[in-house]
Amino acid sequence: MSSHGRSSQIENVQTELLSDNWYVLRKFTYDLIKRNGERQPQSREVYDRGNGATILLYNRPKKTVLLINQFRMPTYVNGNPTGMLLETCAGLLDDDSPEDCIRKEAIEETGFAVGHVEKLFECYMSPGSVTEIVHFFAAEYDESQRANAGGGVEDEDIDVLEVPFTEALAMIKDGRIKDGKTIMLLQYAQLQGWLA
């Protein structure tokens, strides 16, 4: 029988705050009660940076997508020589709704003021260690919606790139695009045939 839908039982949950310097890192120690009744002590570190949103901005007539290029320290630490990462526009929700957040991020990062945004799905991006749920959106853009040049705010230094959709798909294959949310959105657009 499938274990889908079965809720794991945990008991004796202890929480230790390891850091709240930037976001919150906690260590959870608990007993997992397995299906056979056996008690398995476990401990996990959990990083809580809030939830986020991302959006694929696409133009049907031109068959293009808008991507941003920015420095990402964790990728630099893990083998990305420049630390630069090609991504879809994204940001943390803070106190905004996912829709309000992603409209604000789109203006700040890409310079485009998108009206209607379509919610596609939401998912846990790294459930082994990070609490974050990301809300995925898509919207069409055109030059009439340009509000400014984009490039981000304050400590951000963002390049905005308009990329032919076929090239963006090729960039996944050859490793120029390595960002998970971006790959998911581009493949979703491909499955929907939006830019065929």
Side-chain angles (χ1 to χ4, degrees):
M1 189 177 123
S2 162
S3 66
H4 180 73
R6 179 183 75 87
S7 73
S8 289
Q9 299 293 310
I10 61 168
E11 293 178 353
N12 304 326
V13 179
Q14 307 287 318
T15 309
E16 178 188 353
L17 181 66
L18 300 181
S19 170
D20 64 355
N21 182 41
W22 190 248
Y23 301 116
V24 180
L25 181 65
R26 292 186 179 92
K27 181 178 181 182
F28 289 87
T29 308
Y30 54 93
D31 292 335
L32 177 71
I33 314 303
K34 295 166 80 172
R35 274 175 294 200
N36 62 7
E38 184 188 332
R39 185 177 292 268
Q40 173 79 50
Q42 294 192 339
S43 108
R44 296 287 184 273
E45 289 185 8
V46 175
Y47 192 48
D48 185 349
R49 56 196 294 276
N51 295 324
T54 185
I55 189 164
L56 181 68
L57 297 173
Y58 65 99
N59 182 300
R60 284 185 209 251
K62 293 203 291 188
K63 295 186 172 22
T64 54
V65 294
L66 281 185
L67 299 177
I68 60 169
N69 199 24
Q70 65 180 323
F71 180 77
R72 294 295 203 180
M73 187 65 186
T75 76
Y76 180 77
V77 171
N78 193 22
N80 178 1
T82 64
M84 298 299 286
L85 204 65
L86 264 177
E87 303 177 47
T88 48
C89 169
L92 293 177
L93 301 187
D94 298 322
D95 295 322
D96 291 330
S97 72
E99 290 80 3
D100 288 344
C101 163
I102 206 57
R103 281 194 199 93
K104 190 166 77 180
E105 291 292 336
I107 291 179
E108 288 175 1
E109 293 187 353
T110 72
F112 284 86
V114 291
H116 172 71
V117 294
E118 181 187 353
K119 174 80 177 271
L120 306 177
F121 52 85
E122 60 190 61
C123 61
Y124 294 100
M125 292 303 286
S126 191
S129 57
V130 182
T131 59
E132 182 182 38
I133 290 172
V134 174
H135 301 262
F136 285 71
F137 292 92
E140 295 191 56
Y141 76 91
D142 64 58
E143 276 306 315
S144 70
Q145 296 167 307
R146 184 179 283 286
N148 60 59
V153 292
E154 295 146 16
D155 63 341
E156 297 177 316
D157 184 24
I158 289 172
D159 294 322
V160 185
L161 290 86
E162 191 171 44
V163 180
F165 184 61
T166 51
E167 187 186 347
L169 294 175
M171 292 165 102
I172 296 172
K173 197 168 181 180
D174 68 23
R176 284 177 289 164
I177 291 178
K178 281 192 165 77
D179 175 63
K181 66 185 177 297
T182 305
I183 293 170
M184 292 164 74
L185 280 169
L186 291 170
Q187 290 180 341
Y188 188 93
Q190 185 179 28
L191 288 169
Q192 300 301 314
W194 290 339
L195 297 156

